[in-house]
């Protein structure tokens, strides 16, 4: 598993200044996030700006800067929210399946269900796959995606080590990391596919994930 990367630009403040505690403030905060996702999807990371958020959300600049020091802090918040939504699904799946080795058929069905849920959650998120792309394209934001991948990979590694106690430990780590990293890429692929293609590709990806795991036997 890759070691933890150092922040690419430590001089850029990425932390949200404050999180709202009142209903009105939460509504403003959520509007900033929603509008930011829309703009990111339309214009990409290079065309994304706080001025654009201010204009579309009908807010004053201070209303945005109250929460976010710059556009990258907004994008980081978007990324962390999307990763948290995806991670919750992945961890719930890992916890449900338990440590007993599963048949390839059961792994395929479970993976198929998980992928469909990931597509639904990601497609409904403000900015959708544009958020994933931003986290890959920007060195400043890349650590958000990597932190999520590491966490899911670690949980999967624990499970696979119990399911396949005689398997090589380094190979278990490799399979865990591949499963975690491929999740985002496959989700993008599925969202961008037609409905007819998506059903077929979801099944084929689930087969690939299942066979990676059963290869540890």
């Amino acid at each position: 598993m890759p070691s933890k990367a150092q922040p690419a630009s430590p001089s850029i403040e990425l932390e949200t200044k404050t999180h709202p505690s009142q209903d009105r403030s939460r509504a403003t905060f959520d509007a900033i996030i929603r509008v930011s996702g829309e703009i990111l999807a339309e214009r990409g990371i290079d065309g994304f700006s706080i001025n654009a958020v201010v204009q579309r959300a009908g807010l004053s600049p201070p209303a945005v800067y109250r929460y976010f020091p710059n556009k990258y802090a907004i994008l980081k918040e978007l990324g962390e929210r999307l990763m948290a939504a995806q991670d919750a699904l992945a961890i719930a799946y890992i916890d449900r399946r338990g440590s007993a080795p599963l048949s390839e058929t059961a792994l395929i069905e479970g993976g198929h269900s998980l992928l469909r849920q990931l597509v639904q959650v990601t497609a409904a998120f403000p900015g959708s796959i544009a958020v994933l792309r931003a986290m890959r394209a920007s060195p400043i934001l890349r650590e958000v995606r990597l932190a999520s991948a590491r966490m899911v990979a670690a949980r999967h590694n624990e499970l696979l080590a119990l399911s396949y106690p005689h398997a090589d430990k380094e190979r278990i780590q490799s399979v865990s990391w591949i499963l975690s990293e491929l999740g985002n890429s496959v989700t993008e692929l599925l969202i961008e596919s037609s409905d007819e293609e998506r059903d077929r590709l979801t099944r084929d990806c689930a087969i690939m994930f299942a066979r990676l795991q059963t290869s540890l036997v």
Side-chain angles (χ1 to χ4, degrees):
M1 187 181 300
S3 59
K4 185 173 182 179
Q6 294 299 315
S9 301
S11 61
I12 297 179
E13 177 58 54
L14 295 178
E15 297 305 317
T16 301
K17 291 181 177 179
T18 183
H19 284 85
S21 57
Q22 298 181 344
D23 290 345
R24 183 175 178 181
S25 298
R26 280 195 291 269
T28 299
F29 192 91
D30 290 343
I32 293 170
I33 295 300
R34 174 179 51 78
V35 166
S36 295
E38 294 172 358
I39 294 171
L40 182 64
E42 293 169 7
R43 306 184 187 182
I45 193 170
D46 291 335
F48 179 81
S49 68
I50 285 186
N51 284 339
V53 174
V54 165
Q55 292 172 8
R56 181 168 302 190
L59 299 170
S60 65
V64 177
Y65 283 111
R66 175 186 178 187
Y67 301 108
F68 302 101
N70 52 60
K71 75 173 191 177
Y72 291 104
I74 299 178
L75 294 174
K76 180 174 180 283
E77 179 75 19
L78 270 170
E80 288 179 339
R81 287 188 173 205
L82 177 54
M83 291 296 93
Q86 290 187 344
D87 293 347
L89 292 174
I91 297 303
Y93 165 74
I94 291 171
D95 290 344
R96 280 196 309 273
R97 61 166 283 187
S99 60
L102 299 180
S103 67
E104 183 174 291
T105 299
L107 288 170
I108 291 171
E109 292 304 317
H112 186 270
S113 176
L114 175 59
L115 286 172
R116 290 181 64 183
Q117 292 177 64
L118 287 170
V119 167
Q120 290 174 351
V121 164
T122 305
F125 191 85
S128 187
I129 58 176
V131 180
L132 296 177
R133 290 172 179 160
M135 287 188 290
R136 281 204 317 271
S138 171
I140 298 172
L141 302 173
R142 199 167 295 151
E143 181 58 28
V144 175
R145 180 186 62 79
L146 288 174
S148 165
R150 288 191 197 98
M151 186 273 290
V152 174
R155 292 292 294 273
H156 227 137
N157 187 77
E158 292 174 3
L159 174 69
L160 294 179
L162 292 172
S163 298
Y164 307 102
H166 302 299
D168 180 77
K169 303 307 180 187
E170 290 186 356
R171 184 141 193 285
I172 289 176
Q173 288 184 333
S174 296
V175 169
S176 299
W177 184 250
I178 290 170
L179 290 170
S180 182
E181 274 289 339
L182 280 180
N184 285 337
S185 298
V186 166
T187 299
E188 282 189 45
L189 170 68
L190 296 176
I191 290 176
E192 293 185 310
S193 303
S194 66
D195 291 341
E196 182 179 353
E197 289 176 325
R198 188 176 302 125
D199 288 339
R200 173 174 52 81
L201 290 171
T202 301
R203 174 64 60 174
D204 286 343
C205 289
I207 291 172
M208 176 180 66
F209 290 163
R211 289 181 178 170
L212 259 177
Q213 295 175 74
T214 56
S215 70
L216 293 170
V217 175

